Amino acid sequence: MSQATLQADAPSHPHAPAGTVIQLDIGGMTCAACSARIEKVLGRKPGVVRASVNLPLETALVETDGSLDAAGVIAAIEATGYTAGERPTGWQQEKRRQDENEARARSRERRTLILLVLSALLSAPMVAGMVGAPFGVMLMPPAWLQAVLAGIVQVFVGRRFYVGAFKALANGAANMDVLVVLGTTAAYGYSLALTVLAWPEAPGHLYFEASAVILTLILFGKLLETRAKRTTTAAVRALGDLRPQVAHRLTGDTLETVPVEHLFPGDHIVVKPGERVPVDGAVLSGESEVDEALLTGESLPVAKTAGSPVIGGTINGSGSLTLEATALGDDSKLAAIIRLVEAAQGSKAPVQKLVDQVSAVFVPVVVVVAIATFAGWWLAGASLDAMVGAAVAVLVIACPCALGLATPTALVAGTGAAARAGILIRDIEALEVAHKVDTVIFDKTGTLTLGTPRVTDIRAFDGKADRILRIAATAQQPSEHPLASAIVEEARARGLQVSQPSSFRSVPGQGIIAEIAGETVLIGNQRLLEAHGIDTFLTRQIARELEADGKTCASIVVAGRAVGVIAMADTVREETPEALSRLRELGIETVMLTGDTEAVARTVADRVGIARVIAGVPPEGKSKTVVDLISQGRVVAMVGDGVNDAPALASASIGIAMGSGAEVAMETAGITLMRSRPDLVADALGISRATVRKIRQNLFWAFVYNVVGIPLAALGLLTPAFAGAAMALSSVSVVSNAALLRRWRAKAR
């Protein structure tokens, strides 16, 4: 059973019947090990059939056999040290839940930022002393002041790491928090002991600055993680915002405005011009054109008449529609897309960081080595100072200062370089995946193309193209239709004088009728001409030729006689061919995936050089296509810009959104291109490869210092002072290496 299915079937009652799912909000998770731990605990609990914990969304879906209620599941989770509560169901409750979660996330982020600023200010005097010492400038504060400054950092900033370490150890695991606590406590505790024992004399070398700086830098990394995590839920919020809160319900002759939650299947709904359609339904009466681009990928508005289906969240055009509600709330197509996004995000739990993976083995080894070092020197008859010094040197050199810097410094440098090129990378997971991509799927409308129609051909029967363009632009001046806007813009671009028609009337699904200087002007498709008895032989022949190239045609009629045809198309971005060429040079396969027709898609594909085209695909089909490719062992990047692309963006190995598109697409994707240039895709993959390479180099050097330094410290060849110097040197090396990323430049200009 998929997560989307589980969500759709989840009950709202705390006593869940057999075969259903209890939905919960989870608090207190900090890494993938936390979600895995909760799943493991729930999996062993009698009555639980299966459990799925979503770390980014901080939720859990627990399928029971009916013998366990929500209270029992919550108790099991809270016993592991985390918080849990039932998740409300329904649109309004869901929105309130999302708002509350967003407020809590913002509050946590503010607290982390305040702590980071405080920690940086308290650490600054000691950092200044550490930097000045090699140059003979003695700026280091007195020992007692260092103890106070570092102590405040250790208590207030270090608290979260102590709590995290305690939870990890209580659950039989060792994560980054344990390593941080171990190293900083050793550095601070040893320095404090030296300060107290030497009082009132000046002690020897101290490591107060090491403990404070480590906590400050790692807290900075946590702030980056917190911000990335909060953006994950914004995708679902943006989708939910597409759904109107009220609808106009028609009961008999009475039209009343009611909350959408009060509607039932079968209700008659009136959708006024320019409004969003509140529910899925079927048109009973009226004619209009509906903009479905965000949900279906269709580049042009779709004509709607009696019997036509409409989708909740789409935008009505210039006509009024009366429709019958067929699907509400969780049964609607928009809700299905939301579930697809949630399920896809949940199925891609963040990869546990390399540091945490190594820490699970590294931390116990360091502790054992430190104990063995102390015991070895004791058996050798060494003094207490020598025994303690060697053991502390082991712990100090194992302190993860360089490890804490390795990822955030490279991430900041790499994402900063990318941002200057207009490439926004959400988090480290996006980078980790993007550099492995071997297949890039492009949405067509708004991605490979501009997403808006432009005039491509003007066929004037008398050869006077500007004349019929001016007539067509004047006639359509009052219209808000995208095709009309394209004609008006083309006329203005040519410097033609465009005025207002004497009268104007829109004929939904066919075109417009206007009056200019006493003459009737018709502009539209063949249906409009036939309805008014106009000879369509010539216009039909021309339209057939142009439409074969994927263009949309509008015939122009003046005073009862056809005078020409104007063709429009969603034009290809000028950067598209170069973008695809660069990807092919990298050995990456490109695919076009679109909701548009086969003819239009194939025309664009032939023009830009894409061999593989998958057309006429609905949002759920796009997601399935992506999943199918991934199941074949491909690492897939999906590039899109609309709401209809959101499930596919979330399902892909990495989603890349065009910044000019829908907000939900940007929130769902791991990478956003702020300039709507497809050639930035190759640059995005390039900077991700460079950044991941730097991260790996940094982690390598950080571990090398430990691998080499720990044995030397254990043998007494490194004093705690030298251990601290080596640790500082490792930090300098990773920072310097990461700084090299600033020289990276995008090829797209």
Side-chain angles (χ1 to χ4, degrees):
M1 183 181 292
S2 68
Q3 184 169 335
T5 303
L6 294 181
Q7 286 176 311
D9 294 341
S12 59
H13 196 277
H15 300 282
T20 56
V21 171
I22 299 170
Q23 300 188 55
L24 301 173
D25 286 323
I26 308 295
M29 295 188 294
T30 60
C31 64
C34 298
S35 56
R37 173 63 181 170
I38 295 174
E39 284 187 354
K40 186 176 180 180
V41 169
L42 292 176
R44 293 199 302 258
K45 188 169 182 62
V48 174
V49 177
R50 73 185 75 185
S52 174
V53 178
N54 187 319
L55 175 62
L57 299 179
E58 296 183 311
T59 61
L61 300 172
V62 185
E63 185 179 358
T64 72
D65 62 6
S67 63
L68 188 66
D69 62 11
V73 176
I74 291 172
I77 294 174
E78 292 180 339
T80 64
Y82 304 95
T83 61
E86 284 191 81
R87 181 182 182 184
T89 58
W91 283 91
Q92 290 297 329
Q93 295 92 328
E94 174 66 13
K95 190 175 189 311
R96 282 196 293 270
R97 186 189 72 84
Q98 291 176 356
D99 290 341
E100 291 170 0
N101 286 346
E102 175 73 5
R104 284 195 294 268
R106 288 184 179 276
S107 177
R108 285 196 299 268
E109 188 175 319
R110 282 194 298 269
R111 289 197 300 269
T112 301
L113 181 59
I114 292 171
L115 275 178
L116 178 62
V117 172
L118 173 65
S119 184
L121 291 175
L122 293 172
S123 303
M126 294 178 284
V127 172
M130 182 175 62
V131 172
F135 303 99
V137 181
M138 306 309 294
L139 300 174
M140 189 64 75
W144 66 268
L145 182 55
Q146 292 183 55
V148 172
L149 295 175
I152 296 174
V153 175
Q154 196 74 26
V155 171
F156 288 98
V157 177
R159 179 181 177 276
R160 65 165 60 193
F161 299 107
Y162 280 100
V163 172
F166 176 78
K167 287 182 178 179
L169 293 174
N171 290 323
N175 60 3
M176 183 72 176
D177 290 340
V178 175
L179 203 57
V180 171
V181 166
L182 193 65
T184 58
T185 302
Y188 182 82
Y190 180 73
S191 301
L192 184 62
L194 288 181
T195 301
V196 172
L197 293 174
W199 183 265
E201 302 296 327
H205 187 84
L206 303 176
Y207 308 101
F208 288 124
E209 80 283 354
S211 66
V213 169
I214 289 168
L215 289 172
T216 301
L217 292 171
I218 294 178
L219 186 64
F220 173 65
K222 290 292 185 183
L223 180 62
L224 293 179
E225 292 178 11
T226 300
R227 288 185 173 178
K229 185 177 179 182
R230 186 166 60 83
T231 61
T232 304
T233 58
V236 178
R237 290 175 57 83
L239 278 171
D241 289 342
L242 292 178
R243 180 177 179 271
Q245 299 301 307
V246 297
H248 309 300
R249 181 169 62 191
L250 183 64
T251 305
D253 295 329
T254 304
L255 185 65
E256 56 180 342
T257 301
V258 298
V260 172
E261 284 71 24
H262 293 179
L263 296 177
F264 290 88
D267 280 351
H268 291 184
I269 312 298
V270 174
V271 185
K272 299 177 181 179
E275 292 185 337
R276 284 194 182 274
V277 178
V279 296
D280 291 1
V283 176
L284 296 175
S285 62
E287 293 185 344
S288 186
E289 292 180 325
V290 176
D291 183 356
E292 298 181 346
L294 288 177
L295 289 174
T296 67
E298 176 63 50
S299 55
L300 298 174
V302 179
K304 301 293 182 181
T305 57
S308 300
V310 291
I311 305 170
T314 55
I315 303 173
N316 187 26
S318 58
S320 179
L321 296 174
T322 300
L323 55 94
E324 179 181 349
T326 58
L328 307 170
D330 291 340
D331 296 326
S332 68
K333 192 163 187 176
L334 180 58
I337 293 178
I338 291 175
R339 288 195 296 271
L340 283 170
V341 172
E342 285 185 325
Q345 288 182 335
S347 66
K348 296 192 308 182
V351 180
Q352 189 169 354
K353 304 296 187 291
L354 178 59
V355 174
D356 280 341
Q357 293 173 337
V358 174
S359 297
V361 177
F362 184 65
V363 174
V365 169
V366 169
V367 174
V368 170
V369 171
I371 294 173
T373 298
F374 185 90
W377 283 97
W378 177 70
L379 292 174
S383 65
L384 178 62
D385 183 62
M387 289 186 286
V388 172
V392 170
V394 170
L395 293 175
V396 168
I397 202 163
C399 195
C401 186
L403 292 179
L405 281 168
T407 295
T409 52
L411 182 61
V412 169
T415 54
R420 287 192 295 273
I423 302 168
L424 299 185
I425 300 173
R426 175 188 290 182
D427 53 28
I428 185 61
E429 278 96 38
L431 288 169
E432 288 175 341
V433 174
H435 81 285
K436 304 175 185 176
V437 167
D438 55 30
T439 304
V440 176
I441 298 177
F442 286 94
D443 170 56
K444 179 185 72 67
T445 305
T447 304
L448 296 176
T449 67
L450 292 172
T452 55
R454 291 186 177 180
V455 173
T456 58
D457 302 84
I458 302 177
R459 301 284 182 90
F461 297 166
D462 61 1
K464 298 178 181 179
D466 282 356
R467 174 178 173 271
I468 71 163
L469 178 61
R470 179 177 55 79
I471 292 172
T474 297
Q476 298 190 100
Q477 180 79 346
S479 176
E480 296 181 355
H481 194 285
L483 295 180
S485 299
I487 291 174
V488 172
E489 287 178 11
E490 179 67 17
R492 288 173 176 168
R494 296 191 181 199
L496 303 179
Q497 187 68 33
V498 179
S499 58
Q500 289 286 342
S502 304
S503 65
F504 173 87
R505 179 166 64 90
S506 174
V507 183
Q510 296 184 20
I512 65 99
I513 301 174
E515 187 173 326
I516 303 174
E519 292 186 328
T520 300
V521 176
L522 279 66
I523 303 177
N525 56 28
Q526 303 303 313
R527 288 172 55 201
L528 179 67
L529 272 62
E530 290 171 354
H532 288 77
I534 308 298
D535 183 6
T536 62
F537 176 77
L538 188 55
T539 58
R540 189 181 296 278
Q541 295 299 318
I542 294 174
R544 185 178 294 116
E545 172 195 340
L546 294 172
E547 287 171 354
D549 290 332
K551 299 173 182 177
T552 300
C553 296
S555 298
I556 316 299
V557 175
V558 178
R561 184 171 60 89
V563 297
V565 176
I566 297 178
M568 289 145 286
D570 182 7
T571 54
V572 173
R573 295 182 186 274
E574 63 180 50
E575 307 88 7
T576 295
E578 174 66 17
L580 299 173
S581 175
R582 287 180 58 194
L583 289 172
R584 284 193 294 269
E585 289 174 1
L586 294 174
I588 295 174
E589 181 184 1
T590 55
V591 180
M592 180 192 291
L593 182 64
T594 178
D596 224 330
T597 64
E598 177 73 27
V600 173
R602 177 53 62 185
T603 299
V604 174
D606 292 343
R607 196 174 303 159
V608 301
I610 289 184
R612 188 172 181 184
V613 177
I614 305 174
V617 183
E620 57 272 21
K622 288 187 177 184
S623 180
K624 183 180 184 301
T625 301
V626 170
V627 171
D628 288 345
L629 283 173
I630 293 175
S631 68
Q632 298 171 17
R634 303 284 190 92
V635 180
V636 178
M638 173 70 196
V639 187
D641 72 326
V643 172
N644 64 301
D645 300 319
L649 288 169
S651 298
S653 307
I654 179 70
I656 302 177
M658 304 289 276
S660 60
E663 181 180 355
V664 64
M666 291 184 280
E667 297 292 357
T668 305
I671 297 176
T672 297
L673 309 179
M674 296 311 294
R675 292 184 291 161
S676 296
R677 297 181 54 130
D679 52 345
L680 280 174
V681 173
D683 287 319
L685 301 182
I687 186 59
S688 72
R689 293 177 180 182
T691 305
V692 168
R693 189 160 54 244
K694 288 299 179 187
I695 290 173
R696 288 176 174 175
Q697 291 171 358
N698 283 351
L699 291 175
F700 170 78
W701 285 113
F703 283 120
V704 162
Y705 277 102
N706 284 324
V707 170
V708 174
I710 289 175
L712 295 178
L715 294 173
L717 300 177
L718 283 181
T719 65
F722 278 112
M727 183 177 62
L729 183 59
S730 68
S731 300
V732 172
S733 69
V734 299
V735 171
S736 301
N737 188 45
L740 296 176
L741 280 172
R742 296 176 183 174
R743 299 185 301 182
W744 180 86
R745 293 292 182 272
K747 292 184 180 180
R749 298 298 181 187

